[in-house]
Amino acid sequence: MPAAYGFTAYGGPQVQRFLDLPRPVPGPGELLVEVCAAGVNPVDWKVRAGMHRAFLPLDLPAVLGREVAGVVVQLGPDADQFAVGDPVFGTNDRGCGGYARFALLTTSRTALKPAAVSWTDAAVLPVAAGTAYDGIGRLAPKAGESLLILGIGGGVGVAAAQLACDAGVSVFGTATAAKREFVASLGATAIAYDSDDFGERLRKALPDGADAILDLVGGDALRSVAPVISMGCRILTVAAPETAARFGGRPLSRASTTETLTELARRVADERFNPRVSGAFRFEDAGSALAEVESGHPWGKVALDLRGDH
């Protein structure tokens, strides 16, 4: 039975495959978990494509995946804040290894999973929801202010919209026309970027400009909303720091600490936040799960559910 799903060389989907690898050994500040669910993110295929190799060098073959939820089975040195048998979720500092039956987590980026939170919901919180939480925290939109999210229909946008709406912020987001109702279900107003009258719709929705912008797309998408970038508009980007800098914006640096993850899980348990897992694939269908994310059109989050495979 394959232990992991990863890639043997940098390139396209053709380099992906199941791998028979030894069980990882936790180092200092690490936990070994038996994986119950793993999150599937755009960063995964970008790592496989070699887009991150300059700052994330990997020994190949490498296992895909950055975030998991599972049960602790072994503690590394200096990891005694957790115990064997704990249900946890998080990421690791190595940047990969999640599409596997056993994976390593870094204690400073790991939190206990509440019983009221499902394994798949917990598994998709660290990357997208963690990014959204850090972004909303940095932008600090106040109740009554307007926030424009570029790319609101993806995992980070879905999380950011809910977090901002919960704080009383008026949220608007760019998305395809097909996602208008989905965006509305988040409490936000969608502005279809694929409509002929996008500029008119944008100015009508934000006649006084946006107080804050969270850019999850970059490039032309950020330039296209220049008419509503008001004086004093606060801009954060995860995609195009150079373009954002032209408008006075800054890149978003993520933390996703244990405290952040604990707060996100609490909100899920209290039903104040929904990670919106749109698809849960079996481990044997890991390639299909990543293909759905790589297509660029998932609605919400995609996860691997390994519970039936143990």
Side-chain angles (χ1 to χ4, degrees):
M1 184 178 292
Y5 187 78
F7 59 104
T8 56
Y10 290 110
Q14 72 276 5
V15 303
Q16 297 170 192
R17 63 197 61 190
F18 283 98
L19 304 167
D20 286 312
L21 298 173
R23 184 182 297 191
V25 177
E30 290 186 328
L31 310 168
L32 179 68
V33 301
E34 185 173 15
V35 178
C36 294
V40 182
N41 295 283
V43 69
D44 299 342
W45 70 259
K46 293 176 182 178
V47 168
R48 181 212 67 213
M51 297 169 67
H52 293 178
R53 63 192 301 181
F55 54 88
L56 183 63
L58 298 173
D59 293 327
L60 300 181
V63 179
L64 289 158
R66 185 162 293 194
E67 57 183 358
V68 304
V71 178
V72 177
V73 294
Q74 185 179 351
L75 305 177
D78 304 318
D80 55 2
Q81 60 268 58
F82 293 95
V84 171
D86 279 348
V88 297
F89 67 104
T91 61
N92 68 56
D93 291 334
R94 306 183 190 203
C96 61
Y99 297 9
R101 300 186 185 282
F102 293 89
L104 298 173
L105 293 179
T106 301
T107 56
S108 61
R109 297 174 181 268
T110 298
L112 293 171
K113 183 192 78 68
V117 178
S118 72
W119 289 109
T120 51
D121 278 356
V124 303
L125 289 176
V127 173
T131 300
Y133 188 89
D134 292 341
I136 296 301
R138 288 273 302 278
L139 286 170
K142 301 178 179 63
E145 286 193 319
S146 58
L147 168 67
L148 175 61
I149 301 174
L150 307 185
I152 196 172
V156 179
V158 166
Q162 293 181 74
L163 295 170
C165 286
D166 190 53
V169 177
S170 297
V171 180
F172 303 83
T174 62
T176 61
K179 289 187 177 181
R180 183 177 289 111
E181 291 186 6
F182 174 67
V183 173
S185 73
L186 304 173
T189 299
I191 306 170
Y193 64 77
D194 56 352
S195 61
D196 293 335
D197 58 348
F198 170 68
E200 180 181 343
R201 289 174 179 268
L202 181 69
R203 288 187 292 270
K204 185 176 180 179
L206 294 159
D208 298 321
D211 294 307
I213 295 176
L214 180 59
D215 171 35
L216 308 174
V217 183
D220 290 340
L222 182 56
R223 286 188 286 268
S224 72
V225 301
V228 297
I229 298 179
S230 61
M231 289 291 294
C233 180
R234 307 176 313 269
I235 303 173
L236 284 181
T237 183
V238 301
E242 293 182 1
T243 303
R246 291 171 48 193
F247 299 103
R250 299 169 295 161
L252 171 61
S253 57
R254 297 179 58 250
S256 292
T257 62
T258 296
E259 291 73 23
T260 293
L261 298 180
T262 299
E263 173 61 18
L264 287 168
R266 185 180 68 81
R267 293 183 182 221
V268 175
D270 292 344
E271 299 184 351
R272 293 174 54 199
F273 177 73
N274 185 342
R276 297 293 183 114
V277 176
S278 60
F281 291 73
R282 296 177 300 176
F283 183 45
E284 64 192 64
D285 297 321
S288 297
L290 187 54
E292 179 166 326
V293 171
E294 192 166 359
S295 74
H297 300 295
W299 296 42
K301 293 292 300 177
V302 174
L304 297 178
D305 189 341
L306 282 76
R307 289 172 297 174
D309 295 308
H310 289 307

